Amino acid sequence: MRRHSRKKRKRRSYELRRLRRLYWKKPRHKLYTPYISSKSYFSNGKEYHIKAPVDFRLLENTQECVRFFRLLKSQKKAVSIPNGKKFQRIDLKKVKHIDFSSTMVLGAIIDEMRDNAPVCYCSGRLPDSSKCSAYIRQSGFLDTRYNGHGVPYGQSFGSKSLRIERGQTKLDVQKVLSIVSIIKRTKDHLKVASTTRHYRQMDVIKEICGNAFGWSRAINRQWTLGAKFDKDKVTFVVLDLGVGILDSLARDYWDVLKDLFMNHSEKQVLEGAFLRKYKSASEDNNRNRGLPSIKKAFNDGCVEQLNVLANNVCLDFVNSKKSKKFASNKNKAFDGTLYSWVLTADSFK
């Protein structure tokens, strides 16, 4: 077995002792992530931190981003800390491009690992790029995070996120009112008349959330809604880390045989789901009706720039040439479903 130099062994020992001290000193009532210095420390010759891709845009650089998220969830580079918990470091230092979808997925995975057993905390470095660093702050990713000294980053006014846990109960009134408030804030941001109806935009969120409710395998079957307020537009992302649309479809023997003979790819199957060519695996009467209604809302101009990421397929409803199958099997696919769309003033006409 290859041995480390004495200097590296001392550095590793020092970092682990300091990590344990910081862990026991953390405020118990706060969400706190232990801090590690920027100098990397080693175990068995491997670095603990996980490096994000330079192009950290999930909808553009899907394959590399999904690979990064899968590695993060696997906790293969996590180090053990007291009480059977784990810790791993995320390195965003070299990120040059980023989008709202990536920040939403990253935040959801970190929260899921914190809530799941064994508990795994995460710490990391913001990008050196001032533009990307500012984007992360404006996206709301740091709203519930603390720095290395246990001080909260504070609330971002450039975005609004809502985390909903359904379990086996119905969506409560408070959560519904929160969704309505996001839509109303969207109208105010886009300077749309308060009397303008927004039922179609609410229906899109309800239909998407119906799919998230049924198939989320996250803790407490939770899903996340996020909105980022930019100039003249608002970007929405709905995410659930469940089984994905493709795995929730119920294709009978003749459907499978037909897809096989016609050489239908996963991309074509997912496109067919939005045309209601297949049933839902849950066999509920209302299931799988939401997908065609989402597509219809896009065709009617109620939502813009609609993108759907499910399993190993990414659909671009604006430009079908950009739709793609980015993974050859489930071991390299995205665990869950992500919807991304944009609202502008024209969406409410």
Side-chain angles (χ1 to χ4, degrees), residues 219-258:
I219 307 303
N220 297 328
R221 294 170 72 182
Q222 69 190 26
W223 55 273
T224 307
L225 166 67
K228 187 175 185 303
F229 301 89
D230 297 313
K231 184 179 180 180
D232 298 330
K233 70 175 184 178
V234 179
T235 303
F236 279 81
V237 168
V238 172
L239 166 71
D240 80 272
L241 300 177
V243 299
I245 296 176
L246 291 177
D247 289 339
S248 70
L249 296 177
R251 291 187 293 166
D252 57 27
Y253 175 78
W254 296 109
D255 288 333
V256 175
L257 198 62
K258 181 180 178 181

Side-chain angles (χ1 to χ4, degrees), residues 83 123 153 198 220 242 246 250 263 304:
N83 284 351
S123 178
Y153 283 100
H198 52 263
N220 297 328
L246 291 177
N263 198 25
E304 303 174 30

Side-chain angles (χ1 to χ4, degrees), residues 28 32 34 45 57 64 117 180 230 233 257 271 322:
R28 296 295 173 181
Y32 181 80
R57 293 178 296 181
E64 288 190 28
V180 173
D230 297 313
K233 70 175 184 178
L257 198 62
E271 290 172 343
K322 292 185 178 181

Side-chain angles (χ1 to χ4, degrees), residues 196-221:
T196 305
R197 295 183 178 181
H198 52 263
Y199 301 130
R200 293 295 301 276
Q201 287 74 22
M202 282 293 299
D203 287 342
V204 170
I205 295 178
K206 289 191 320 187
E207 296 294 352
I208 290 175
C209 295
N211 287 279
F213 279 163
W215 297 106
S216 179
R217 283 183 180 174
I219 307 303
N220 297 328
R221 294 170 72 182

Side-chain angles (χ1 to χ4, degrees), residues 14-166:
Y14 167 75
E15 293 284 2
L16 290 176
R17 288 199 308 271
R18 190 164 64 83
L19 174 60
R20 292 189 176 96
R21 287 199 304 270
L22 286 170
Y23 173 79
W24 289 114
K25 290 181 180 180
K26 76 179 191 304
R28 296 295 173 181
H29 63 285
K30 293 182 178 180
L31 169 61
Y32 181 80
T33 301
Y35 170 77
I36 293 183
S37 67
S38 58
K39 295 182 179 179
S40 302
Y41 56 99
F42 301 85
S43 174
N44 297 327
K46 295 183 179 180
E47 297 183 12
Y48 285 150
H49 63 263
I50 304 173
K51 296 181 180 180
V54 175
D55 187 354
F56 197 36
R57 293 178 296 181
L58 180 59
L59 299 179
E60 298 291 336
N61 190 23
T62 310
Q63 187 172 7
E64 288 190 28
C65 290
V66 170
R67 186 186 300 118
F68 166 78
F69 291 134
R70 291 188 65 89
L71 179 60
L72 181 63
K73 289 185 67 175
S74 68
Q75 302 180 18
K76 291 182 178 179
K77 294 193 175 185
V79 59
S80 297
I81 57 178
N83 284 351
K85 297 179 174 59
K86 293 183 178 180
F87 170 83
Q88 56 186 349
R89 180 175 174 79
I90 304 169
D91 190 357
L92 305 176
K93 177 182 178 181
K94 296 184 178 181
V95 171
K96 300 296 184 183
H97 307 281
I98 194 169
D99 63 5
F100 189 45
S101 298
S102 293
T103 61
M104 289 287 293
V105 176
L106 181 60
I109 292 176
I110 291 175
D111 292 340
E112 184 181 67
M113 291 191 298
R114 182 198 64 206
D115 296 337
N116 198 8
V119 174
C120 182
Y121 295 110
C122 292
S123 178
R125 299 180 61 181
L126 293 175
D128 287 343
S129 169
S130 57
K131 183 178 179 180
C132 293
S133 181
Y135 188 94
I136 290 178
R137 294 178 185 277
Q138 295 169 2
S139 70
F141 173 75
L142 299 175
D143 286 0
T144 57
R145 317 291 171 191
Y146 292 77
N147 63 18
H149 305 287
V151 179
Y153 283 100
Q155 188 72 22
S156 170
F157 296 99
S159 65
K160 179 68 176 178
S161 61
L162 181 65
R163 178 182 174 188
I164 297 179
E165 297 179 357
R166 174 180 181 256

